Amino acid sequence: MLSSPLVLAASFAYLLLLFGVATFADARARGDRSVIGNAWVYTLSMGVYCTAWTYFGSVGRAATSGLWFLPIYLGPTLAMLLAWPVLRKMIRIARQYRITSIADFIASRYGKSRALAALVTLIALVGILPYVALQLKAISSGYALLTAAPGAAHVGGPWWRDSTLYFALALAGFTIAFGTRYLDTSERHEGMVAAIALESVVKLLAFIAVGVFVCWGLFDSPADIFARAAARADLKPLLGLGGESRFAGGQWFALTLLAMLSVIFLPRQFQVMVVENVDERHIKRASWAFPLYMLLINLFVLPIALGGLLHFGAGPADPETFVLSLPLAQGQAALALVAFIGGLSAATGMIIVEAIAVSTMVSNDLVMPLLLRFGRRDARDLSGTPLAVRRSVIVALLLMGYLYFRIAGEAYALVSIGLISFAAVAQFAPALLGGMFWKGGTRAGALAGLTAGFALWAYTLMLPSIAKSGWLATAFMNEGLFGLTLLRPEQLFGLTGLDSLTHALLWSLLANAGLYVAVSLARVPSAREAGQALLFVDVFRRAPGAGAAAPVFWRGRARLAELQALAARFLGAETAQRLLADFARRSGVAGIERIAADAQLVQFVETQLAGAIGSASARAVVAAVVEEEPLAPDDVLRMLDEASQVRALNRQLESLDKLKDDFMSSVTHELRTPLTSIRAFAELMRDDPQMDSAQRQQFLALVVAEAERLSRLVNQVLDMAKIESGHADWRNDEIDLRELVAHALQTTAEAFRERGAQTQLNQPPQMPLLHADRDRLLQVLLNLLSNAAKFVPPGRGRVVVTLRSDEQGATIEVCDNGPGVPPEQQQLVFEKFRQGGAAHARPQGTGLGLPISRQIVEHFGGRMWLRSAPGQGACFGFELPWHRKEQSQ
Amino acid sequence: MTKHVLIADDEPNIVISLEFLMRREGHRVSVARDGDAALQAIRRERPDLVLLDVMMPGRSGFDVCQAVRADEALAGVKILMLSAKGRDTDLAKGTALGADAYLTKPFSTRELADKVREMLE
């Protein structure tokens, strides 16, 4: 037994430590040196899934039914391994549209429906209350066990002497300090996340410490425990899969599915996994690290359960507190205290995050709409209201949790309470998952599905649990509502043979999903629904991050002053000013007063407000200050088309601009180079009248050569521009290629003779006539031949021209024995201004000859190529078809 | 006093004209035809001044300039960049990389000679 002051002081010190960590992380976040920006912290914060329910309840369940504790952890493992892309999409959507809770997510998807937001919030609230009570119960009984004399039963005193109440109030204060210190429009709480990550470490280490103690301190090894348990007839069944004897596959499946859904849809999970996520890439690591965490924290569940049963026998000891009672029974007071702190961290973590998440939802989706409608609608500054509301909601939530604990807490085991909550949030699945992947889902469908699912959950699971606690007559359970046996809540419509949870889950999800699909299909989505559906389902196709590029489905008239006043009213004047100045800067206008009051601005203001008061409320208050024109579904599609067309056109223009710039810059460079030589030589001769005549002759020859190069270049640039723009004149001559090649060789004979090069011609005795532009083809041949002449080695050059013909067309190849073209340059030689050859040996070309030649060949439906191995010469060739397919230029 | 000028350019005729101009100014001249050769020559010969073309095959003039300025042993080498591009951004880039002066092509031979004289004083 430990003294109360010691336990209280340790608990309080632990809470202070958490608070210190949170304050530190918040300060670092404001200094832009976030401590939570890594995947490990993200993974650990997901560990908030493991609450006091895991910490105490798993052992209890394992002690009564063996491996049945497992599905609750297999589900999340499967979900993270298989469904992380779903999570990634949720994060992207939430980030893009400033969604801050699961109610907001669902409402926003179905046209920002207030009714839907309120319904989801209500379900979450009712579903989560037992769960909060469960945490209080765990702390309360843990505390009682630690401080009571061994064997003494816990006796509940009057409420004002109940330490659990004060504990609940302390936690409320704590949560307020963590989560509602200031209003952040992205609803992120770095300090809280850091504290939660620490809690995950603490509870894991504490649980493992107890596990190690039981396995190796109390017994010899885990094998020892299992061997002793297997030897006992009453414990042997716990080691098998079925609990009793038969493996209940359906029930395993139901539980696993339930846990899969819960790990994503529980408000606290949505908060840490989606809202608090700082980087989508963190999901990758979490997808295996979180399952690993689950494995570690479950490792010792069975050994502790069996160890407890072996140690205490069939005595009065409650298996749910084995984690505490085993160390205590062995006089390990310090370990018991550590175990208690571990349980405390599991419970506080859940309460803090859940309360923050639920208070956001209740404030945004239940209270604010009522306030806006009935109360303070004329108040000028409401920026403090959401915070005040949230604080009150947190206190109310914990008090209600306490009330539930006082009323029903004693009647039910931890695990049963938890499963009821799980089944409630599972109702979000059809509307949420359907909304992310199916554009046809409508608000009416979601409302119908959720209502039916929730009603069946309440009737088949919640009411029976209350009745079993003795707070409700059980007559309806045995005889059915109104005496109709078909309506017996745990055997609805005569369905028997299932446990109550599987039964409830089957009926509620069946009705939920069925109505969602059926009612959605009954009517075409409205424009607003269709618009939101597009934004959600296709979130990855919309430009990420660029607010201006995302399509905005809005049409109407707005005034800047009114929108500004609205933003100031809910966000505070200072924040509104800062946000709008930011918007002005990003839109490229001089100041706030220059912002155009268009759809983009309306969208921007609405999104910012959504962060503070939820998207449904934001939609309503924005609609009240602007004149909106209703949209038809066709309008939405048209706006979407326009947005994507404008984007595509912009991209095209940008790339054309860049091409033009590159071309101009290259041409400028190429023109300036010969000009530089000409000017330099001319000036040198001008400044030196005494220059000897041989020198002068050399310079003059260079000036002439450079001037020729310049005019060649000008001609070719014009030629190229004409061909590329499609303005070139193409004649249609009948050409004898044998004659044309002979003519080209004759024209270049002088150049080859100067280089001392031999030419050789291989050709068939006769060839069909080709229809093409004779001058243009001659231009191509001359280009290839003069290139060859430039590159062959002086004095021993050898150029072979080969002319072939087959049924498709004619082929001409010009092969030289020059240095060849290295492989990495072979693609480049056909690009503009990419001349081949080593720098110092580079003959004077324009860098346009080959590109133009290729354009000409391609114009006549042919293709041009280069075959070359370094040191083996180069073969430039092209083929032309006899019959050209008409190509559109 | 004779100074050593390295001409780094890949256009043969521009090299001929620069070589003539620098010799007439009374300097000792050596030539590099591409960026890598230029950098090797600078390290080997430690010229007083480099006339450095920007657009060269292989290592560009900018790369050469950067490499030279990163090497403290070469701190005494003056660099005059020559470029046929002559856009403001190029000029700014050249200066930022540590070039001592920057001229656009086509240049005036007198202006170039004056500049070189001024830089070698």
Side-chain angles (χ1 to χ4, degrees), chain A residues 748-763:
Chain A
T748 49
E750 178 60 21
F752 284 115
R753 206 178 46 76
E754 268 178 25
R755 293 284 283 184
Q758 306 262 316
T759 57
Q760 184 192 329
L761 175 62
N762 303 326
Q763 58 182 358

Side-chain angles (χ1 to χ4, degrees), chain A residues 665 669 672-673 676-677 679-681 683-684 686-688 691 695 699 702 706 709 839-840 842 844, chain B residues 10-14 16-17 20-21 24 33-34 55 57 84-87 104-110:
Chain A
S665 146
H669 181 264
R672 278 180 173 174
T673 300
T676 305
S677 298
R679 180 172 177 187
F681 288 127
E683 288 187 6
L684 289 174
R686 177 197 63 189
D687 293 347
D688 188 0
M691 190 182 284
Q695 180 81 74
F699 281 6
L702 290 174
E706 289 287 357
R709 175 180 169 192
H840 47 276
R842 195 167 76 190
Q844 299 216 334
Chain B
D10 62 325
E11 277 290 329
N13 292 344
I14 294 180
I16 293 174
S17 64
F20 186 88
L21 182 66
R24 202 177 66 188
R33 307 284 186 159
D34 62 44
M55 292 269 285
K85 281 202 162 170
R87 283 186 296 200
T104 51
K105 293 176 178 178
F107 47 82
S108 141
T109 47
R110 284 179 190 166

Side-chain angles (χ1 to χ4, degrees), chain A residues 279-341:
Chain A
D279 188 336
E280 276 177 25
R281 287 169 299 185
H282 292 171
I283 302 172
K284 278 266 163 81
R285 190 179 300 158
S287 70
W288 59 263
F290 182 60
L292 183 66
Y293 183 91
M294 292 299 231
L295 178 72
L296 287 177
I297 210 164
N298 278 291
L299 215 50
F300 288 107
V301 168
L302 208 51
I304 293 176
L306 293 174
L309 290 174
L310 287 168
H311 188 264
F312 292 113
D318 181 358
E320 294 195 342
T321 50
F322 275 172
V323 178
L324 298 174
S325 52
L326 278 173
L328 267 186
Q330 292 296 308
Q332 299 278 351
L335 183 61
L337 188 60
V338 167
F340 177 72
I341 296 293

Side-chain angles (χ1 to χ4, degrees), chain A residues 160-209:
Chain A
W160 65 88
R161 290 194 51 198
D162 187 350
S163 55
T164 313
L165 171 63
Y166 299 105
F167 192 75
L169 287 175
L171 266 183
F174 219 65
T175 309
I176 287 172
F178 269 130
T180 60
R181 238 178 303 171
Y182 49 86
L183 196 65
D184 175 28
T185 50
S186 63
E187 212 47 60
R188 294 199 26 224
H189 312 84
E190 297 221 345
M192 179 200 80
V193 173
I196 294 307
L198 175 69
E199 299 221 272
S200 290
V201 176
V202 169
K203 66 192 172 203
L204 179 63
L205 291 182
F207 196 80
I208 289 180

Side-chain angles (χ1 to χ4, degrees), chain A residues 562-712:
Chain A
E562 283 172 337
L563 286 168
Q564 196 173 358
L566 188 67
R569 193 169 163 223
F570 287 99
L571 305 172
E574 208 175 302
T575 310
Q577 186 80 11
R578 184 169 50 76
L579 288 171
L580 282 174
D582 211 36
F583 179 77
R585 196 172 41 72
R586 271 186 290 125
S587 333
V589 297
I592 293 180
E593 63 286 350
R594 298 285 180 82
I595 298 174
D598 58 5
Q600 298 286 354
L601 175 70
V602 172
Q603 167 85 357
F604 176 76
V605 171
E606 189 176 322
T607 313
Q608 299 306 316
L609 288 177
I613 60 174
S615 44
S617 294
R619 179 84 280 278
V621 295
V622 166
V625 301
V626 298
E627 276 179 62
E628 300 193 336
E629 289 172 30
L631 293 179
D634 289 348
D635 293 330
V636 170
L637 291 177
R638 194 174 44 70
M639 287 172 162
L640 189 72
D641 272 357
E642 280 170 7
S644 51
Q645 272 170 17
V646 167
R647 266 204 306 279
L649 277 177
N650 273 336
R651 268 201 300 275
Q652 245 173 330
L653 277 179
E654 272 164 30
S655 70
L656 275 179
D657 258 8
K658 188 169 179 315
L659 267 182
K660 200 188 75 188
D661 277 358
D662 288 353
F663 182 73
M664 288 308 292
S665 146
S666 296
V667 167
T668 313
H669 181 264
E670 296 302 314
L671 289 174
R672 278 180 173 174
T673 300
L675 266 179
T676 305
S677 298
I678 293 172
R679 180 172 177 187
F681 288 127
E683 288 187 6
L684 289 174
M685 289 187 281
R686 177 197 63 189
D687 293 347
D688 188 0
Q690 314 302 321
M691 190 182 284
D692 72 74
S693 70
Q695 180 81 74
R696 187 176 295 269
Q697 278 307 315
Q698 188 208 347
F699 281 6
L700 283 171
L702 290 174
V703 168
V704 171
E706 289 287 357
E708 281 171 352
R709 175 180 169 192
L710 195 56
S711 49
R712 213 163 43 236

Side-chain angles (χ1 to χ4, degrees), chain A residues 427-466:
Chain A
Q427 303 306 323
F428 299 151
L432 200 146
L433 293 176
M436 275 167 67
F437 296 98
W438 179 44
K439 290 179 193 161
T442 65
R443 172 178 166 275
L447 274 174
L450 276 172
T451 310
F454 183 53
L456 277 167
W457 168 83
Y459 186 66
T460 59
L461 207 58
M462 189 70 175
L463 286 183
S465 91
I466 294 176

